[in-house]
Amino acid sequence: RAGGGRRAASRAPGAHNICCLLTRRAHGFYARDAGVAHRKNLGLLRKIICQESTKFKNVWTTHSASPIAYERGRIYLDNYQCCISSIAQEPRILYQKPKCSKSEKIEDALLLECPLGEMLPSASDYKSSLIVLTVQNWLLRLSADSGEILEKIYLAGACCKFRYLSWDTPQEIMVVKSAQNKLPAAARQAGIQQSVLFYLAVFQVLPLSFIGMLEINKKIFGNSVTDVAVSNGILIVMHSMGLVRLYNFQAILEQFMEQPFDLGHEFNWNGQVGVVGKYPFGLPYNIKITDTPPLLFEASSLENAFQIGGYPWHYIITPNKKKHKGVFHICSLKDNALAKNGIQDMKCCSLEPDWIYFHPDMSGRIIHVGPNLIKILKLKEVKNNADQVEIAEDFTIVANRENCVNNTVTVTASGRVVKTRFNLLDDDPEQETFKIVDYEDELDLLSTVAVTQIGADGKAHLDFHCNEHGILLKSIPLLESWDVTYSHEVYFDKDLVLHIEQKPNRRFSCYVYQMVCDTAKDDECSSHEKTERVFCKKGGRIFEYI
């Protein structure tokens, strides 16, 4: 109050503590914060999963004549027309849509989840949804729980066929890519040249909004272009000779965008009048690259294999000669210098090559997987030389196998015993071989699938390892036979294990395992013979469950 007002009252008791709590909460340290509680719950779940008494039980199985997909507790069958919850011990169909025609076939799909801390225009935006791309160039947003169409966008006419969905920035920027544009055979024979190879449509998600459409043209990027991808704000262009070139995708959008457009608004563009995202006009090509963008980086690698990660930034390539297949070079992104011990070669003698990638836990480490050995590598400074980085072994995981040398004994006509020694391949199916390595980020566990197949009978087990030190914490046998000649996918999602198998003649199977802690049921979890399996029909589909 103006004049000689009252002296300010002293701070109430406990106010200082409240200020401290508010400050700690702003930095993520508030003990009652939902994130803290969630992390504690996940820590408890990890301990329960790794207990000796905890088992994983095959609760139900189903089969399909079309591919099976899994996303966050939902199993999709029949080209996403059927959705089943994987959470219940008995199969629970969330929705079953009528069989679609070939013109409505879904080419690709992405799960879209609600962003935290943002106000969204529609109540449906706060629930998980599925973005799907149809064969007729429709982009649909479906409710993940009911299959209801929430949004519908027409991309383009028959001039291009969109086929692939991917994230530029996960859950923020989505890219829709066309199949490679090819001229009809008659046009090629007439000597007509095709300069446009791919089309890219870029969207921001939740709310779904159109950013732009652009062409990847040989006249701009070169005649040897074979493929293109967008990731983390980088346009990656691959060439036939193994060359990989990187460009700033965000800078391209800003520099070459001719005019922004909003979905659902009328437009008059290059003599066309229509509504953005509606049939038959679709989306305008509002980003026209007229000159080669500034090159950020380029490298030559066998089969265009190129990865960036680590701290400080490094990249992994294979020298661009067939004789170097299976040899990986780890180099500094700053100056292309090869790291100390940066040549990684397991010298495998196997049908399937080893593989390497940056660890998805953001630790900057590298995972190198061979038939019988998994190496976790780390980048560290060289002593007395802060400018140089060396590759060091953090820990290894070794398959449980016998000596890989076999002896065969033959007896000649004279009675002489002859021993012939030969070496098995490193990935011979009769020896335990690593097939899958994955990381469960919420539980901070490294999971591996190892398989041994003798004759027609293959045995697989899923192991959980400490992500920090590699210690084996849990091993789960998969009851179904594993044929190494088939295609397999294994998902570990907190208290759920899912095995999807593709057999010949497009026969697919899905085996669902769930965590159980009742020790009285131990025998049920380890043998098919001791459990009674029931067959039931739901929604026209046969399920097998216990």
Side-chain angles (χ1 to χ4, degrees), residues 291-479:
D291 195 10
T292 306
L295 183 66
L296 291 180
F297 185 83
E298 71 175 9
S300 181
S301 181
L302 187 66
E303 298 173 351
N304 300 111
F306 176 80
Q307 302 176 65
I308 295 178
Y311 181 80
W313 291 105
H314 277 67
Y315 63 90
I316 303 174
I317 60 168
T318 294
N320 197 13
K321 292 183 179 178
K322 287 187 178 180
K323 67 178 182 179
H324 292 306
K325 190 166 187 176
V327 179
F328 303 99
H329 287 199
I330 304 169
C331 306
S332 169
L333 190 65
K334 179 182 178 182
D335 55 10
N336 297 319
L338 182 70
K340 185 179 179 181
N341 302 325
I343 299 177
Q344 295 295 313
D345 183 5
M346 283 194 176
K347 302 185 184 300
C348 301
C349 180
S350 57
L351 292 176
E352 296 183 8
D354 51 326
W355 69 95
I356 194 169
Y357 58 99
F358 286 99
H359 200 311
D361 69 351
M362 306 302 290
S363 64
R365 295 181 295 174
I366 296 168
I367 300 177
H368 189 184
V369 185
N372 66 326
L373 180 66
I374 300 171
K375 287 184 179 181
I376 308 298
L377 308 170
K378 61 183 178 181
L379 304 169
K380 69 175 190 178
E381 287 184 0
V382 175
K383 283 186 178 180
N384 304 321
N385 187 356
D387 293 331
Q388 190 179 12
V389 171
E390 70 173 319
I391 308 301
E393 196 174 276
D394 199 12
F395 61 83
T396 61
I397 300 171
V398 183
N400 181 20
R401 54 166 59 178
E402 301 295 328
N403 191 339
C404 63
V405 179
N406 279 10
N407 293 319
T408 59
V409 178
T410 57
V411 181
T412 65
S414 62
R416 187 167 61 93
V417 176
V418 178
K419 290 184 178 181
T420 304
R421 174 171 291 179
F422 63 92
N423 292 326
L424 293 173
L425 290 172
D426 289 330
D427 61 349
D428 188 280
E430 294 190 3
Q431 303 178 106
E432 185 172 272
T433 302
F434 291 118
K435 294 295 182 182
I436 297 173
V437 178
D438 204 356
Y439 173 63
E440 217 299 336
D441 56 344
E442 293 185 294
L443 300 179
D444 194 31
L445 290 173
L446 198 64
S447 65
T448 66
V449 176
V451 181
T452 306
Q453 180 172 335
I454 299 176
D457 187 30
K459 297 295 183 184
H461 57 91
L462 172 65
D463 292 347
F464 302 150
H465 296 264
C466 167
N467 184 49
E468 188 175 355
H469 303 294
I471 301 167
L472 178 63
L473 303 174
K474 189 77 176 177
S475 185
I476 301 168
L478 300 180
L479 303 184

Side-chain angles (χ1 to χ4, degrees), residues 144-184:
D145 294 321
S146 68
E148 175 192 358
I149 297 177
L150 304 175
E151 290 184 80
K152 193 172 182 179
I153 299 168
Y154 186 65
L155 300 176
C159 61
C160 62
K161 296 292 184 183
F162 285 97
R163 288 291 177 268
Y164 311 102
L165 297 176
S166 63
W167 293 113
D168 173 15
T169 305
Q171 302 296 327
E172 292 183 21
I173 305 295
M174 177 181 68
V175 178
V176 189
K177 189 178 89 169
S178 73
Q180 186 169 343
N181 199 21
K182 293 182 179 179
L183 285 173

Side-chain angles (χ1 to χ4, degrees), residues 110 200 223 232 246 294 334 374 413 465 510:
L110 286 177
L200 301 177
N223 290 323
N232 294 294
L246 309 185
K334 179 182 178 182
I374 300 171
H465 296 264
C510 178

Side-chain angles (χ1 to χ4, degrees), residues 14-33:
H16 175 73
N17 293 337
I18 292 172
C19 291
C20 288
L21 279 174
L22 289 172
T23 304
R24 286 174 60 79
R25 183 170 189 172
H27 287 86
F29 297 122
Y30 186 50
R32 296 180 185 176
D33 187 84

Side-chain angles (χ1 to χ4, degrees), residues 90-119:
E90 291 187 10
R92 182 167 64 89
I93 296 178
L94 295 178
Y95 65 82
Q96 173 83 60
K97 302 171 78 172
K99 187 176 180 180
C100 64
S101 64
K102 288 185 178 180
S103 63
E104 297 174 311
K105 180 189 172 187
I106 292 173
E107 295 283 358
D108 205 355
L110 286 177
L111 183 69
L112 188 55
E113 296 186 294
C114 169
L116 299 175
E118 290 187 24
M119 294 295 291

